[in-house]
Amino acid sequence: MPKDRQPPSTHPHPAATPLQGAAWLPHGYQLDPHSHAEGQLVYAAAGALATATERGTWVAPANRVTWTPPHFAHSHRFYGETDVRLLQVPLDLCAQLVDHPSVFAVSPLLREALLALTDGPERRPGAHGRLLTVIVDELVDAAEQSLHLPEADDDRLRAATALLHEDPARPTTLAELGRRVGAGERTLSRLFHTELGMSFHRWRTTLRIHHALARLTDGMSVTETAVACGWSNPSSFIDAFTAVVGQTPGRYQAGLRHRS
């Protein structure tokens, strides 16, 4: 960890312009909507972050990196004290990556390359360019692991998802949601599949996992997180979290402590 980067205060505050390079950011810190002429990679070496666009929200814990293509309006929110690394990707390399926002798995080599490229000034001419090529090569071969929460266009579905956002833990049924937004249960179920590409149950589970990642990153226990995010018991939460994130909540928190 660079010695000149000290953790800031714990009071969240918005930023009107994106940061470059590396910084420690407090829990709840936000970067307002903005875009870049080049592509951007954002990696939380410790902590976690959410990237929001018109297409929905992507969450990246510390074992994943977010990718935003050029000219794609987006905002960020950070969870836990976050060691954030921001990296611009020149246009000539962007074409090798997907043309939509995404999240990729971070291999050990990719992690070290991201840290080395953002830790300090270039030590030898051309070194940063060579490292960036390595990073893009790794991303081309990396699996997309998007904790993506898509958003709807249909007014009824947007109203339904807004209610779920307000209280992810509430055990609302699809029929209850339909009555509140003026749509039948079958209609709402169809809209989840056609507009969001997933079932109501899967969308709500992903929403709850987003909230769970934020709470775990901020130090809440696994049991407390399970209850706060709507699971009836820790075992079902652990199963759902592991299926989506690829590791148990306990191992995820242990990794956060190790990285810090």
Side-chain angles (χ1 to χ4, degrees):
M1 183 187 305
K3 294 181 180 179
D4 59 343
R5 296 192 304 114
Q6 298 298 322
S9 67
T10 57
H11 299 289
H13 54 287
T17 57
L19 301 175
Q20 302 293 326
W24 278 98
L25 300 179
H27 175 72
Y29 191 98
Q30 297 180 60
L31 289 176
D32 295 338
H34 60 279
S35 63
H36 308 278
E38 298 181 311
Q40 185 186 60
L41 294 168
V42 184
Y43 174 57
L49 69 111
T51 300
T53 78
E54 62 180 8
R55 298 189 182 183
T57 303
W58 285 257
V59 168
N63 59 354
R64 301 183 187 184
V65 60
T66 68
W67 159 246
T68 306
H71 307 295
F72 228 106
H74 60 285
S75 61
H76 299 298
R77 184 178 178 89
F78 300 88
Y79 299 98
E81 283 198 349
T82 304
D83 178 7
V84 63
R85 310 302 179 102
L86 295 96
L87 182 63
Q88 301 300 115
V89 179
L91 292 176
D92 61 332
L93 294 176
C94 290
Q96 299 183 43
L97 302 175
V98 295
D99 61 0
H100 56 269
S102 190
V103 174
F104 292 92
V106 175
S107 67
L109 175 58
L110 180 55
R111 172 178 167 81
E112 293 306 315
L114 287 165
L115 296 181
L117 196 53
T118 54
D119 265 343
E122 189 173 52
R123 296 182 180 180
R124 293 179 300 277
H128 279 186
R130 292 188 292 271
L131 268 178
L132 185 56
T133 300
V134 170
I135 288 170
V136 171
D137 284 344
E138 283 290 292
L139 288 172
V140 169
D141 294 332
E144 282 192 67
Q145 294 190 341
S146 292
L147 280 168
H148 179 211
L149 195 67
E151 294 296 345
D153 290 325
D154 183 273
D155 290 341
R156 296 163 296 178
L157 187 55
R158 287 182 69 87
T161 56
L163 290 171
L164 295 171
H165 274 293
E166 288 175 6
D167 186 5
R170 184 175 178 179
T172 307
T173 67
L174 193 58
E176 290 170 345
L177 275 179
R179 286 194 293 271
R180 294 188 65 178
V181 302
E185 182 177 359
R186 288 186 178 180
T187 298
L188 207 53
S189 176
R190 175 180 55 80
L191 287 171
F192 268 98
H193 282 281
T194 57
E195 286 216 8
L196 305 182
M198 60 181 69
S199 68
F200 159 67
H201 175 74
R202 182 182 171 192
W203 193 94
R204 183 167 66 179
T205 297
T206 303
L207 172 67
R208 288 175 170 177
I209 293 294
H210 280 202
H211 283 261
L213 280 165
R215 285 167 169 78
L216 290 169
T217 302
D218 200 34
M220 184 178 284
S221 73
V222 172
T223 299
E224 291 171 331
T225 299
V227 173
C229 294
W231 276 274
S232 58
N233 59 74
S235 295
S236 58
F237 165 56
I238 291 169
D239 289 343
F241 188 94
T242 304
V244 174
V245 180
Q247 58 185 166
T248 65
R251 179 164 293 184
Y252 171 72
Q253 280 195 314
L256 292 175
R257 290 191 291 270
H258 173 72
R259 289 182 176 91
S260 295

